[in-house]
Structures are given as structure tokens and as C-alpha cells.
Amino acid sequence: LTECTLLVNAILCDNDGCLEVRQLNAKLAQNSFGVKVANLRSVLFDDGKIAIREGRQRVPGGNIRPDSLVVAKTSLRLCQRKAGECGHCDGLHLCRYFVCGGCTFGPKCKNPHSLASPHNADLLQRFGLQDLTEKQLFQLLLQNDPFLLPEVCPHYNKGDGPFGSCRYTTSCTKLHVCLHFLQGDCRYGSRCKRTHTVQQGMKLFKGFSQENIQNLYKIYRNKFIINGQCGQSLTNSVGPSKPNSEGERNEICLYNIRKSCSFKEKCVRVHWNLPYKWEVLHRDGVTWKDLPCMEEIEKAYSDPTCNSSWDPLSASNIKQHVDFKTMTYKESPVRRLSTASSVLHPPHFILTTQWIWYWKEDNGLWIEYGQGGGDTTVTSETLEKMYLADKDAEITFQAGKHQYTLHFKGDEGSQTMFQQNLKYKTKREIRRRPRFVSPQDVNDIKRYCALLNNIWKFANQGAKNRVLH
């Protein structure tokens, strides 16, 4: 099975990272390595190595449809730290422009260009990618590593203006291209009001080779298939967005909380006046009811030392007890709705949720990652990005002289995340908690942003008047 997986990955990466099942079968039948094609089904159901977009051609017996698209997948990523700043981590130490095919510095580049370094060679061996050629590996990374490709602007893909609802027009740092075109499901074709080319966004592809620029459509399509987005719209050109998941339906709308949402009651996200909302499941097992004293519950939840929203030693006890470990209130399930994580949006988005990651010291203190004074390769921001990319991942990192593996998924079904010392096997609990924002903070942030917006409008109007005179 391992041999077949390696061969399938190599074949896919030689063919723009993807092939239809029937094409892949034909390529495997021609291989001269003696790998049996009978193992293909097992490889295709390995979610860690392969993503599939189901085809339309039906076949009897529930077999894989021959027109299904098979895409090569990996959880390997490039290290995001600057050259020389990272001692040891679970990311490849490579120049991103080298991977994208357009580094102009060559041997003079200050970032690594070698796959043969001990660090990179060890990682490739661990991920089972050691036999891929440089070109095959780079194709695999391009369609899997979210930091290599510019993000498609969601605001450009909704609204009626020439730039959709994007306020940044030509200065936007995200790609202004029809999302449905990249996903392969635009029903408007040449009549679409969104652009179907990347020419206007070429400045975002600095460091990309001409070959990769020509293949951008396939690279993006493969990326969306891997992320489970292909065939499902993140935004809709003519109406409110459709949720991709239960998590998106339970997300608090950033537009409504800031000022107003144009979709109003048709919006798939939750309209609420705070960036968090605590609810308890009613006895009917269907209806979610608001919990009282949400600010106090949120304040307790934001404190990593708190296991619940009630402290029997406190003089000012909160009237209800929400258990944060089991997420229950009087044995009924509790949920916390939230705005999107701050790592998913640029800094100008206000009232996103900033998640802080903590580890527990021997003395019981909770220390934020990257803030404890030690030489560590991870921060709250990097952990949050990795967690959102794969909530079952295990991440190896270094702090001082010690190496650790961080487990987002607890042992034997436990919900408790932990890190483990690779040498001594000791474990420390870790927690992910939001940065606390009070209702007063929300009002202050909104007033401050409104003030900046007015100053910006006034400055623009003044510039226009000077031009007219």
C-alpha cells in the first residue's frame, strides 16, 4: 500500500496534481515498478493523502465513478519564520519563491533552496515524500499550503459594483476573480460579471514562474477540492452566501455587528450585538436558548485558569454554572457562537475573535505560547492557523533545548489537548481561549472605526475639491 501511495502521488503531481480515476488507472497500468493496481481503492480512501471530487458518471455496485477527480494531498507546509530564526519545527525550511518557481536571487538568496538539508530530508522521510522529484513536491505544496497562494476576495464575489462589495478596489491584497470559475462551477460563463482571468491580480503572484501562472486555474481548483469547497460556493453572485458547514451557520456576522448586513434576515450567519453568544439546548433537544449573564460567562471562559463560570470561593458568584470542560449547564449541552477567527481575516476586519493558546506550567500557571520568555518556535497565531487547517493534527516544535509534540486531539477520545516532551514523555495540558471583549469594548471599537472612516471620507472629499479648484 505504501508503494502504491507513493506512485499515485508521483503520477498525480506529474499531471498538474490531479487526474480522473480512469486516467489514473491507465497510468498505473503502464507503470514499470511492479506496483499492483488492485491497491488503488485503498489509496483513494486514504483521506490524508488523497482528496476526491465525485464525478457524475454512475457505475453499478457503488464503485468509484471513473470521471471522479483525484487530487494529491499532504499536511506538510513551509515554515513561516524568517531564515535563521527557527531551530527546529515541522515545516520545510525553503524559500517560498523557490517553491513557486520564480526566485530571482538564485544561490545568493538568503532563504534555503535545498531539499537535502538534514531538517528537510528528515521531514520528507516522515511524510513519505522522500522519493518525489523537486517539481512533483512543489506542485504538491502549491495546492496544499494555504500560505503560498493569494486568497480569493470574498467581498469581490458579492455585491453589484465593479469590485463587488470590496471597499479596497484596486488596492485589495486578495485576488479579484470569480470564485465559482476557480471552483469550476460558474453557471454564467462568458456572461459572468466577475472576471475569469488573473491578469488584473498579477502583482499578487510575484515570485511565480510563468508555468505556474498558466496553471493557476488548476492549482486553485485542486486547493478548493482539498478544502472541501469545490462544488459549494463560499459566496453567491446574486444572493446571500450559502454556508459550507455547521460552523459557518453558527458564526456571528461581522457586517451586522459592525454596522449592518445587506442580507438582513436572509443572512446565513447569526446576527448578534457581541462577538460571542452563549446558548443552552432546551429540553426539546432542538431549540437553543440564550444564557443570561453572557458577559460574565465569557469573561470566565477567557481566563485559562477557569474550568467553569462559577467559583465556589468567589464572593461575587455568577448565578449559573457552565462547565467549560464538558460544555454543559445543569447537564444540558452548551455552545458558544463566535465571530470568525482573527487569523482568517486581514487586520482591518474588526471584532473578529482573537484566540489565545496557553500551556500549563508545573506551578499551575498558564503561559501563552510565544510569551513565556523561552525560545519557542510557535505562537498563538501560528497554532490557531494550524488548528483551523487540521483539528486532528500533531505538531512537533522546539522550546529551548526540548522538543515537543502538540496534540490537538486528546488521548482516547478525551477533549483535553496536550503537548508531550519527546524525550521525557511528560505531558502538559494546553487550552485555546478567546481574548475577552466586553460590551463596552465593542462600542469603543465601533466608535473608533466610525471616526477613522469619517476622517478618511473627509480627506478624500478635500482632495477632490482641490482637484476641482
Side-chain angles (χ1 to χ4, degrees):
L1 181 59
T2 302
E3 279 187 324
C4 191
T5 303
L6 290 171
L7 179 60
V8 167
N9 262 315
I11 291 174
L12 293 175
C13 292
D14 275 336
N15 291 273
D16 300 322
C18 64
L19 280 172
E20 289 187 354
V21 169
R22 56 187 161 211
Q23 295 171 323
L24 181 57
N25 265 315
K27 296 281 186 183
L28 282 169
Q30 298 168 6
N31 89 82
S32 57
F33 298 97
V35 179
K36 294 182 179 180
V37 182
N39 286 333
L40 179 59
R41 187 177 180 86
S42 298
V43 174
L44 295 186
F45 282 96
D46 184 350
D47 184 56
K49 306 288 185 184
I50 295 295
I52 299 179
R53 185 183 69 182
E54 191 174 12
R56 296 181 178 180
Q57 186 177 339
R58 296 191 177 277
V59 290
N63 291 321
I64 301 171
R65 298 177 181 182
D67 61 336
S68 294
L69 198 63
V70 182
V71 182
K73 183 177 175 181
T74 183
S75 56
L76 183 61
R77 303 287 186 262
L78 296 188
C79 173
Q80 296 303 303
R81 295 173 77 90
K82 293 181 180 178
E85 288 187 0
C86 181
H88 186 81
C89 67
D90 61 345
L92 286 171
H93 290 171
L94 283 175
C95 166
R96 64 173 299 173
Y97 300 117
F98 176 54
V99 174
C100 295
C103 182
T104 57
F105 293 102
K108 296 180 180 179
C109 184
K110 62 181 180 180
N111 295 303
H113 280 210
S114 173
L115 292 173
S117 68
H119 173 83
N120 288 341
D122 176 62
L123 273 179
L124 293 174
Q125 187 77 34
R126 262 201 287 154
F127 282 83
L129 305 174
Q130 68 279 5
D131 293 328
L132 293 185
T133 65
E134 187 177 278
K135 186 175 181 180
Q136 290 168 346
L137 178 65
F138 291 173
Q139 172 70 45
L140 189 62
L141 290 171
L142 275 171
Q143 63 193 40
N144 281 274
D145 192 331
F147 299 104
L148 292 176
L149 288 180
E151 185 181 345
V152 178
C153 180
H155 306 290
Y156 170 77
N157 278 273
K158 59 186 177 185
D160 296 323
F163 300 97
S165 62
C166 180
R167 292 176 52 197
Y168 297 92
T169 61
T170 57
S171 65
C172 184
T173 57
K174 296 184 180 181
L175 187 61
H176 282 194
V177 173
C178 172
L179 178 63
H180 297 281
F181 168 69
L182 291 179
Q183 291 179 167
D185 61 359
C186 181
R187 59 184 178 178
Y188 298 106
S190 59
R191 296 181 293 108
C192 184
K193 60 184 177 182
R194 315 290 180 205
T195 180
H196 281 199
T197 70
V198 298
Q199 296 307 314
Q200 293 178 343
M202 288 305 297
K203 62 183 179 181
L204 299 178
F205 295 99
K206 176 186 175 183
F208 278 70
S209 66
Q210 194 59 41
E211 180 183 357
N212 282 331
I213 288 175
Q214 290 173 352
N215 289 332
L216 280 174
Y217 165 71
K218 286 186 178 179
I219 296 172
Y220 270 101
R221 182 198 57 189
N222 292 350
K223 173 186 174 180
F224 291 137
I225 291 173
I226 289 167
N227 292 335
Q229 294 173 207
C230 233
Q232 306 172 28
S233 31
L234 289 177
T235 55
N236 191 304
S237 299
V238 293
S241 59
K242 296 179 181 179
N244 288 325
S245 64
E246 184 68 24
E248 195 166 313
R249 283 192 294 271
N250 292 335
E251 190 176 284
I252 295 172
C253 177
L254 287 170
Y255 298 99
N256 178 74
I257 195 174
R258 177 174 182 171
K259 189 174 182 182
S260 64
C261 174
S262 59
F263 296 134
K264 298 181 180 177
E265 69 277 358
K266 293 182 180 179
C267 182
V268 296
R269 293 176 175 83
V270 177
H271 284 189
W272 189 244
N273 63 326
L274 295 172
Y276 49 84
K277 190 172 192 277
W278 287 88
E279 299 178 335
V280 61
L281 188 63
H282 192 262
R283 282 184 297 241
D284 61 12
V286 177
T287 310
W288 290 92
K289 300 285 189 180
D290 293 354
L291 276 169
C293 303
M294 283 190 202
E295 182 181 356
E296 287 81 0
I297 298 172
E298 179 71 11
K299 191 171 185 178
Y301 186 62
S302 301
D303 184 347
T305 65
C306 291
N307 294 320
S308 70
S309 63
W310 176 73
D311 182 0
L313 300 179
S314 174
S316 56
N317 291 334
I318 300 169
K319 294 180 181 179
Q320 68 278 342
H321 174 143
V322 175
D323 190 318
F324 297 142
K325 285 197 169 184
T326 61
M327 279 305 226
T328 56
Y329 164 66
K330 294 183 178 178
E331 300 183 354
S332 295
V334 164
R335 68 179 184 182
R336 178 189 181 275
L337 308 187
S338 175
T339 53
S341 175
S342 58
V343 302
L344 298 176
H345 292 284
H348 62 263
F349 275 78
I350 66 168
L351 299 172
T352 53
T353 299
Q354 183 184 4
W355 291 94
I356 312 297
W357 289 77
Y358 303 90
W359 55 276
K360 193 175 185 180
E361 207 14 311
D362 289 334
N363 57 11
L365 292 177
W366 288 89
I367 311 296
E368 181 183 345
Y369 279 92
Q371 303 296 317
D375 180 20
T376 179
T377 58
V378 293
T379 63
S380 284
E381 185 177 0
T382 56
L383 283 179
E384 180 67 10
K385 289 177 180 177
M386 292 174 182
Y387 176 75
L388 294 177
D390 184 0
K391 295 183 181 179
D392 293 329
E394 296 179 1
I395 299 164
T396 301
F397 68 96
Q398 187 163 340
K401 297 180 180 179
H402 298 283
Q403 281 188 288
Y404 300 90
T405 298
L406 190 150
H407 301 259
F408 291 143
K409 195 173 183 180
D411 284 334
E412 299 178 357
S414 168
Q415 298 298 313
T416 303
M417 297 183 284
F418 67 94
Q419 70 177 37
Q420 185 171 30
N421 188 297
L422 293 183
K423 181 178 180 180
Y424 299 107
K425 305 302 179 185
T426 52
K427 295 182 180 180
R428 297 181 189 273
E429 185 180 350
I430 64 176
R431 286 182 177 175
R432 173 185 183 250
R433 296 291 176 89
R435 181 82 73 190
F436 177 65
V437 179
S438 70
Q440 184 60 49
D441 293 333
V442 171
N443 291 331
D444 291 344
I445 291 169
K446 289 165 70 173
R447 277 198 295 267
Y448 177 70
C449 288
L451 176 62
L452 289 181
N453 193 43
N454 288 335
I455 292 172
W456 179 78
K457 286 181 179 178
F458 181 77
N460 272 353
Q461 188 59 48
K464 288 179 182 177
N465 291 339
R466 284 194 295 273
V467 170
L468 290 174
H469 284 61

PDB file of all heavy atoms in Angstrom, residues 295-306:
ATOM      1  N   GLU A 295     -21.785  38.126  29.527  1.00  0.00           N
ATOM      2  CA  GLU A 295     -20.501  38.796  29.700  1.00  0.00           C
ATOM      3  C   GLU A 295     -19.670  38.124  30.788  1.00  0.00           C
ATOM      4  O   GLU A 295     -18.470  37.916  30.630  1.00  0.00           O
ATOM      5  CB  GLU A 295     -20.722  40.275  30.044  1.00  0.00           C
ATOM      6  CG  GLU A 295     -19.415  41.039  30.197  1.00  0.00           C
ATOM      7  CD  GLU A 295     -19.627  42.499  30.554  1.00  0.00           C
ATOM      8  OE1 GLU A 295     -20.802  42.939  30.604  1.00  0.00           O
ATOM      9  OE2 GLU A 295     -18.632  43.201  30.782  1.00  0.00           O
ATOM     10  N   GLU A 296     -20.329  37.743  31.894  1.00  0.00           N
ATOM     11  CA  GLU A 296     -19.616  37.084  32.992  1.00  0.00           C
ATOM     12  C   GLU A 296     -19.123  35.691  32.574  1.00  0.00           C
ATOM     13  O   GLU A 296     -18.014  35.275  32.924  1.00  0.00           O
ATOM     14  CB  GLU A 296     -20.515  36.965  34.219  1.00  0.00           C
ATOM     15  CG  GLU A 296     -20.752  38.277  34.955  1.00  0.00           C
ATOM     16  CD  GLU A 296     -21.824  39.136  34.303  1.00  0.00           C
ATOM     17  OE1 GLU A 296     -22.384  38.697  33.273  1.00  0.00           O
ATOM     18  OE2 GLU A 296     -22.101  40.236  34.813  1.00  0.00           O
ATOM     19  N   ILE A 297     -19.959  34.979  31.815  1.00  0.00           N
ATOM     20  CA  ILE A 297     -19.549  33.647  31.335  1.00  0.00           C
ATOM     21  C   ILE A 297     -18.345  33.780  30.404  1.00  0.00           C
ATOM     22  O   ILE A 297     -17.359  33.047  30.513  1.00  0.00           O
ATOM     23  CB  ILE A 297     -20.716  32.949  30.602  1.00  0.00           C
ATOM     24  CG1 ILE A 297     -21.884  32.720  31.551  1.00  0.00           C
ATOM     25  CG2 ILE A 297     -20.262  31.611  30.015  1.00  0.00           C
ATOM     26  CD1 ILE A 297     -23.150  32.223  30.870  1.00  0.00           C
ATOM     27  N   GLU A 298     -18.416  34.754  29.486  1.00  0.00           N
ATOM     28  CA  GLU A 298     -17.326  34.969  28.529  1.00  0.00           C
ATOM     29  C   GLU A 298     -16.039  35.379  29.240  1.00  0.00           C
ATOM     30  O   GLU A 298     -14.942  34.929  28.881  1.00  0.00           O
ATOM     31  CB  GLU A 298     -17.725  36.035  27.517  1.00  0.00           C
ATOM     32  CG  GLU A 298     -16.672  36.360  26.474  1.00  0.00           C
ATOM     33  CD  GLU A 298     -16.448  35.262  25.451  1.00  0.00           C
ATOM     34  OE1 GLU A 298     -17.256  34.302  25.417  1.00  0.00           O
ATOM     35  OE2 GLU A 298     -15.473  35.356  24.678  1.00  0.00           O
ATOM     36  N   LYS A 299     -16.179  36.220  30.262  1.00  0.00           N
ATOM     37  CA  LYS A 299     -15.001  36.672  30.999  1.00  0.00           C
ATOM     38  C   LYS A 299     -14.321  35.497  31.693  1.00  0.00           C
ATOM     39  O   LYS A 299     -13.093  35.383  31.698  1.00  0.00           O
ATOM     40  CB  LYS A 299     -15.409  37.730  32.032  1.00  0.00           C
ATOM     41  CG  LYS A 299     -14.241  38.463  32.660  1.00  0.00           C
ATOM     42  CD  LYS A 299     -14.724  39.637  33.503  1.00  0.00           C
ATOM     43  CE  LYS A 299     -13.564  40.448  34.043  1.00  0.00           C
ATOM     44  NZ  LYS A 299     -14.023  41.613  34.833  1.00  0.00           N
ATOM     45  N   ALA A 300     -15.122  34.600  32.276  1.00  0.00           N
ATOM     46  CA  ALA A 300     -14.562  33.408  32.916  1.00  0.00           C
ATOM     47  C   ALA A 300     -13.929  32.482  31.884  1.00  0.00           C
ATOM     48  O   ALA A 300     -12.842  31.934  32.099  1.00  0.00           O
ATOM     49  CB  ALA A 300     -15.657  32.673  33.691  1.00  0.00           C
ATOM     50  N   TYR A 301     -14.602  32.319  30.738  1.00  0.00           N
ATOM     51  CA  TYR A 301     -14.098  31.421  29.689  1.00  0.00           C
ATOM     52  C   TYR A 301     -12.785  31.939  29.106  1.00  0.00           C
ATOM     53  O   TYR A 301     -11.915  31.155  28.705  1.00  0.00           O
ATOM     54  CB  TYR A 301     -15.143  31.286  28.591  1.00  0.00           C
ATOM     55  CG  TYR A 301     -14.793  30.275  27.529  1.00  0.00           C
ATOM     56  CD1 TYR A 301     -14.629  28.927  27.846  1.00  0.00           C
ATOM     57  CD2 TYR A 301     -14.629  30.661  26.202  1.00  0.00           C
ATOM     58  CE1 TYR A 301     -14.308  27.994  26.868  1.00  0.00           C
ATOM     59  CE2 TYR A 301     -14.318  29.733  25.216  1.00  0.00           C
ATOM     60  CZ  TYR A 301     -14.156  28.406  25.559  1.00  0.00           C
ATOM     61  OH  TYR A 301     -13.840  27.483  24.588  1.00  0.00           O
ATOM     62  N   SER A 302     -12.618  33.247  29.066  1.00  0.00           N
ATOM     63  CA  SER A 302     -11.398  33.847  28.519  1.00  0.00           C
ATOM     64  C   SER A 302     -10.206  33.656  29.452  1.00  0.00           C
ATOM     65  O   SER A 302      -9.063  33.867  29.040  1.00  0.00           O
ATOM     66  CB  SER A 302     -11.613  35.345  28.264  1.00  0.00           C
ATOM     67  OG  SER A 302     -12.672  35.542  27.355  1.00  0.00           O
ATOM     68  N   ASP A 303     -10.458  33.283  30.683  1.00  0.00           N
ATOM     69  CA  ASP A 303      -9.400  33.038  31.671  1.00  0.00           C
ATOM     70  C   ASP A 303      -9.023  31.557  31.627  1.00  0.00           C
ATOM     71  O   ASP A 303      -9.836  30.698  31.977  1.00  0.00           O
ATOM     72  CB  ASP A 303      -9.915  33.412  33.064  1.00  0.00           C
ATOM     73  CG  ASP A 303      -8.846  33.279  34.139  1.00  0.00           C
ATOM     74  OD1 ASP A 303      -7.785  32.675  33.878  1.00  0.00           O
ATOM     75  OD2 ASP A 303      -9.095  33.757  35.266  1.00  0.00           O
ATOM     76  N   PRO A 304      -7.826  31.204  31.201  1.00  0.00           N
ATOM     77  CA  PRO A 304      -7.457  29.787  31.062  1.00  0.00           C
ATOM     78  C   PRO A 304      -7.438  29.020  32.380  1.00  0.00           C
ATOM     79  O   PRO A 304      -7.457  27.787  32.382  1.00  0.00           O
ATOM     80  CB  PRO A 304      -6.058  29.848  30.436  1.00  0.00           C
ATOM     81  CG  PRO A 304      -5.522  31.184  30.839  1.00  0.00           C
ATOM     82  CD  PRO A 304      -6.704  32.096  30.865  1.00  0.00           C
ATOM     83  N   THR A 305      -7.424  29.730  33.506  1.00  0.00           N
ATOM     84  CA  THR A 305      -7.414  29.039  34.794  1.00  0.00           C
ATOM     85  C   THR A 305      -8.803  28.535  35.183  1.00  0.00           C
ATOM     86  O   THR A 305      -8.933  27.714  36.089  1.00  0.00           O
ATOM     87  CB  THR A 305      -6.900  29.973  35.907  1.00  0.00           C
ATOM     88  OG1 THR A 305      -7.825  31.054  36.074  1.00  0.00           O
ATOM     89  CG2 THR A 305      -5.532  30.531  35.564  1.00  0.00           C
ATOM     90  N   CYS A 306      -9.852  29.030  34.512  1.00  0.00           N
ATOM     91  CA  CYS A 306     -11.225  28.682  34.888  1.00  0.00           C
ATOM     92  C   CYS A 306     -11.698  27.423  34.168  1.00  0.00           C
ATOM     93  O   CYS A 306     -11.634  27.340  32.943  1.00  0.00           O
ATOM     94  CB  CYS A 306     -12.177  29.834  34.564  1.00  0.00           C
ATOM     95  SG  CYS A 306     -11.948  31.290  35.603  1.00  0.00           S
TER      96      CYS A 306
END
